[in-house]
Amino acid sequence: MEINVFKFCSGLRVLGHVMILLVAAIVGVSYYAVVFLTYGSQLLRGGFDSFLSFTIVIIFHVLLVLLLWSYIRVVLKDPGSVPENWRAVSGEESLEVGTSLAAAEDGFERRSRGGGYCIHCQNGKPPRCHHCSICQRCVLKMDHHCVWVVNCVGACNYKFFLLFLLYTFLETTMVTIVLLPSFINFFGEAKNHSSAAKSAIIFLAFVLNFAFALSLLCFVVMHASLLSSNTTSVEVHEKKGVIRWKYDLGRKKNFEQVFGTKKSLWLFPLFSEDDLKKIPALRGLEFPTRSDVDA
């Protein structure tokens, strides 16, 4: 019996919607455990307890807003689609349309380097573009397809994904730390039937957040390494045997290729109009290489 791989891939998109509900459930349980059961009730006690509780609740909400904002952006933002009938632009054609003049503004001689042709999409493939069998289309500077966000992670939403990872790690780590005292007291309070339900919710929130914090730490470290070398998850295999990755422009430039140059927006899932115009990598069709920088 033949197995249709593409039907299986399409099924992963359905699984993604379940993951969104799971994220919402984890956020809900964590919110109830931290704000309502643990620290919300201590806000009116006065003294140091109130100050500590107020600080925890504020930090919790700030991280939660940034987390959800980044999550919504990465879910809804198109990672980057190849224009219809796209083809590589030669150096001569780039000069005719004034590409090199625009490139001089940010110090790079930007050239479209031929990517190839996608037999599935029947269209040209820009550099660093890959076909996603789940989305069934080519994605610009594709990193991977993430079932947690029901979307591909590519040139246009990679920053949002990284911020989502970062803020989720910080939030889950914080929840783990602030619920640790209650978790330690869980086994003693569980004997009291009146507080059994409360203790069970705190226990569940602690275990979930602790597990996610540990797993997310690995992803944060991995993507920090990829970001520092201007590499995607897909390109890790392409780099094997290469002495120096051609897209590695140095840590500062590599960072700006994803987060932009406007420092005030680095921690927010936003781009400045100026960066979108001057940094072609944010649009996903052209990418400066080491030869551009060294020239």
Side-chain angles (χ1 to χ4, degrees):
M1 184 178 66
E2 294 184 358
I3 299 176
N4 191 326
V5 177
F6 289 99
K7 284 186 177 180
F8 171 74
C9 292
S10 300
L12 290 178
R13 301 184 69 179
V14 178
L15 176 62
H17 292 86
V18 176
M19 293 299 189
I20 290 181
L21 295 177
L22 181 58
V23 170
I26 294 172
V27 169
V29 170
S30 301
Y31 191 92
Y32 187 69
V34 173
V35 178
F36 286 97
L37 296 182
T38 309
Y39 291 96
S41 59
Q42 299 180 19
L43 291 175
L44 301 178
R45 287 187 177 181
F48 180 75
D49 287 343
S50 292
F51 174 76
L52 178 62
S53 298
F54 179 78
T55 302
I56 290 174
V57 170
I58 290 297
I59 295 175
F60 177 87
H61 280 90
V62 169
L63 289 176
L64 182 61
V65 168
L66 291 170
L67 183 163
L68 293 177
W69 187 8
S70 301
Y71 185 66
I72 292 171
R73 288 286 278 159
V74 73
V75 168
L76 299 182
K77 180 66 176 179
D78 190 306
S81 301
V82 182
E84 189 175 355
N85 299 321
W86 181 91
R87 67 186 180 89
V89 181
S90 66
E92 291 78 9
E93 289 172 323
S94 296
L95 289 174
E96 290 176 5
V97 297
T99 305
S100 59
L101 178 61
E105 294 177 357
D106 61 0
F108 293 116
E109 180 189 357
R110 299 176 308 200
R111 310 184 192 98
S112 287
R113 291 165 171 79
Y117 185 80
C118 179
I119 59 174
H120 302 290
C121 299
Q122 300 291 303
N123 196 11
K125 288 177 66 176
R128 313 185 77 178
C129 174
H130 292 84
H131 186 86
C132 176
S133 57
I134 299 176
C135 295
Q136 298 184 16
R137 67 186 179 102
C138 284
V139 176
L140 300 177
K141 194 189 173 186
M142 178 178 172
D143 187 88
H144 70 289
H145 184 94
C146 182
V147 294
W148 287 95
V149 301
V150 204
N151 199 2
C152 265
V153 177
C156 300
N157 65 353
Y158 187 46
K159 174 186 177 181
F160 309 152
F161 174 76
L162 293 180
L163 289 176
F164 167 61
L165 272 186
L166 174 64
Y167 291 131
T168 304
F169 170 70
L170 293 177
E171 182 82 320
T172 53
T173 300
M174 177 190 174
V175 172
T176 300
I177 293 173
V178 300
L179 290 183
L180 181 59
S182 299
F183 175 78
I184 294 175
N185 295 331
F186 166 77
F187 300 99
E189 294 181 357
K191 298 177 181 179
N192 185 353
H193 295 290
S194 62
S195 62
K198 172 184 174 181
S199 300
I201 292 174
I202 293 176
F203 178 86
L204 177 62
F206 176 88
V207 171
L208 286 174
N209 281 274
F210 180 67
F212 271 89
L214 285 180
S215 60
L216 285 169
L217 176 60
C218 300
F219 282 102
V220 169
V221 171
M222 181 188 77
H223 279 282
S225 175
L226 293 175
L227 178 65
S228 68
S229 61
N230 200 1
T231 311
T232 65
S233 299
V234 175
E235 292 170 341
V236 169
H237 302 287
E238 298 177 13
K239 283 180 60 179
K240 290 182 178 179
V242 177
I243 298 177
R244 190 67 186 269
W245 182 235
K246 64 180 179 179
Y247 297 114
D248 188 352
L249 312 177
R251 291 184 179 179
K252 182 175 183 294
K253 288 293 182 183
N254 292 342
F255 183 86
E256 291 174 349
Q257 293 292 296
V258 176
F259 281 79
T261 59
K262 195 170 179 96
K263 296 180 181 180
S264 60
L265 295 181
W266 280 354
L267 296 179
F268 302 100
L270 297 169
F271 289 112
S272 69
E273 290 294 331
D274 193 47
D275 279 343
L276 290 175
K277 292 177 181 178
K278 290 186 176 182
I279 304 178
L282 297 179
R283 300 190 296 272
L285 290 173
E286 303 172 64
F287 302 92
T289 64
R290 289 186 55 77
S291 60
D292 297 324
V293 179
D294 296 337

